[in-house]
Coordinates of all heavy atoms in Angstrom, one line a residue:
Chain U
L15 N -66.4 38.6 -16.1 CA -65.2 38.0 -16.7 C -64.2 37.5 -15.7 O -63.3 36.7 -16.0 CB -64.6 38.9 -17.7 CG -65.3 39.3 -18.9 CD1 -64.6 40.4 -19.7 CD2 -65.4 38.1 -19.8
L16 N -64.4 38.0 -14.5 CA -63.4 37.6 -13.5 C -63.1 36.2 -13.2 O -61.9 35.8 -13.3 CB -63.7 38.4 -12.1 CG -62.7 38.3 -11.0 CD1 -61.5 39.1 -11.4 CD2 -63.3 38.7 -9.8
P17 N -64.2 35.4 -13.0 CA -63.9 33.9 -12.7 C -63.1 33.3 -13.8 O -62.1 32.5 -13.6 CB -65.3 33.3 -12.7 CG -66.3 34.4 -12.7 CD -65.6 35.8 -12.9
T18 N -63.5 33.6 -15.1 CA -62.8 33.0 -16.2 C -61.4 33.4 -16.3 O -60.4 32.6 -16.4 CB -63.4 33.5 -17.5 OG1 -64.8 32.9 -17.6 CG2 -62.7 32.9 -18.8
Y19 N -61.1 34.7 -15.9 CA -59.6 35.1 -16.1 C -58.7 34.7 -14.9 O -57.6 34.4 -15.2 CB -59.6 36.6 -16.3 CG -59.9 36.9 -17.7 CD1 -61.3 37.1 -18.1 CD2 -59.0 36.9 -18.7 CE1 -61.6 37.4 -19.3 CE2 -59.3 37.1 -20.0 CZ -60.6 37.4 -20.4 OH -60.9 37.5 -21.7
V20 N -59.4 34.5 -13.7 CA -58.6 34.0 -12.6 C -58.1 32.6 -13.0 O -57.0 32.3 -12.9 CB -59.5 33.9 -11.3 CG1 -58.8 33.0 -10.2 CG2 -59.8 35.3 -10.9
I21 N -59.0 31.7 -13.5 CA -58.6 30.4 -13.9 C -57.6 30.5 -15.1 O -56.5 29.7 -15.0 CB -59.8 29.6 -14.5 CG1 -60.8 29.5 -13.3 CG2 -59.4 28.1 -14.9 CD1 -60.5 28.7 -12.2
L22 N -57.9 31.2 -16.1 CA -57.0 31.3 -17.2 C -55.5 31.7 -16.9 O -54.5 31.2 -17.3 CB -57.6 32.2 -18.4 CG -58.8 31.9 -19.0 CD1 -59.1 32.8 -20.2 CD2 -58.8 30.4 -19.5
I23 N -55.4 32.7 -16.0 CA -54.2 33.2 -15.6 C -53.4 32.2 -14.8 O -52.2 31.8 -15.0 CB -54.2 34.6 -15.0 CG1 -54.6 35.6 -16.0 CG2 -52.8 35.0 -14.4 CD1 -55.1 37.0 -15.5
A24 N -54.1 31.8 -13.8 CA -53.4 30.8 -12.8 C -53.1 29.5 -13.3 O -52.0 28.9 -13.0 CB -54.3 30.7 -11.6
F25 N -53.9 28.9 -14.2 CA -53.8 27.5 -14.6 C -53.4 27.3 -16.1 O -53.2 26.3 -16.5 CB -55.0 26.7 -14.2 CG -55.2 26.6 -12.8 CD1 -56.2 27.3 -12.0 CD2 -54.3 25.9 -11.9 CE1 -56.4 27.4 -10.7 CE2 -54.5 25.9 -10.5 CZ -55.5 26.6 -9.9
L26 N -53.5 28.4 -16.8 CA -53.1 28.4 -18.3 C -51.9 29.1 -18.6 O -50.8 28.6 -19.0 CB -54.3 28.6 -19.2 CG -55.2 27.5 -19.3 CD1 -56.5 27.6 -18.4 CD2 -55.7 27.2 -20.8
F27 N -52.0 30.5 -18.4 CA -51.0 31.3 -18.9 C -49.7 31.2 -18.0 O -48.6 31.1 -18.5 CB -51.4 32.8 -19.0 CG -52.3 33.1 -20.2 CD1 -53.7 33.0 -20.0 CD2 -51.7 33.1 -21.4 CE1 -54.5 33.1 -21.1 CE2 -52.6 33.2 -22.6 CZ -54.0 33.3 -22.3
Y28 N -49.9 31.3 -16.7 CA -48.8 31.2 -15.9 C -48.0 29.9 -16.0 O -46.8 29.9 -16.3 CB -49.2 31.6 -14.5 CG -47.9 31.5 -13.4 CD1 -46.9 32.3 -13.5 CD2 -47.9 30.3 -12.5 CE1 -45.9 32.2 -12.7 CE2 -46.8 30.2 -11.7 CZ -45.9 31.1 -11.7 OH -44.7 31.0 -10.9
P29 N -48.6 28.8 -15.9 CA -47.8 27.5 -16.1 C -47.2 27.4 -17.3 O -46.2 26.8 -17.6 CB -49.0 26.4 -15.8 CG -50.3 27.1 -15.7 CD -50.0 28.5 -15.5
A30 N -48.0 27.8 -18.5 CA -47.3 27.8 -19.8 C -46.0 28.6 -19.8 O -44.9 28.1 -20.3 CB -48.3 28.3 -20.9

Side-chain angles (χ1 to χ4, degrees):
Chain U
L15 291 173
L16 187 69
T18 297
Y19 284 87
V20 168
I21 301 291
L22 292 186
I23 291 167
F25 299 104
L26 280 101
F27 287 100
Y28 177 67

